[in-house]
Amino acid sequence: MSALPRGLSYRKVVAALKRAGFSVRRQKGSHIVMRRDEPFAQVVVPAHRSIDTGTLASILAGAGLSVEQFRQLL
């Protein structure tokens, strides 16, 4: 298993999730809610300069993506 990328900005994470079929549903403050309809998944991405690896792992789990799949989307 590959390690999670470190120091990614929220913009890179949002762009990768868009490539995976997610779209931005809404944003309130510093939280961006993204959703994919088929198969259904919804994740919240904090709008931070650098996303912690634990937060990124939670986002990937909610999105149903492996680390390898996410790296290919970057």
Side-chain angles (χ1 to χ4, degrees):
M1 182 176 147
S2 178
L4 285 168
R6 294 179 167 269
L8 289 178
S9 71
Y10 78 94
R11 289 185 175 138
K12 289 185 179 181
V13 174
V14 167
L17 289 173
K18 283 183 177 179
R19 287 186 207 102
F22 284 82
S23 62
V24 175
R25 300 299 279 191
R26 64 183 180 272
Q27 179 174 356
K28 184 167 185 176
S30 64
H31 291 85
I32 302 165
V33 177
M34 300 187 75
R35 183 183 294 172
R36 177 181 63 203
D37 292 329
E38 288 297 325
F40 179 81
Q42 182 170 305
V43 294
V44 178
V45 179
H48 297 161
R49 286 186 205 165
S50 177
I51 295 185
D52 294 332
T53 55
T55 304
L56 182 58
S58 177
I59 291 169
L60 295 183
L65 295 173
S66 69
V67 176
E68 297 302 323
Q69 291 170 325
F70 182 70
R71 282 185 177 274
Q72 291 176 354
L73 293 169
L74 285 176

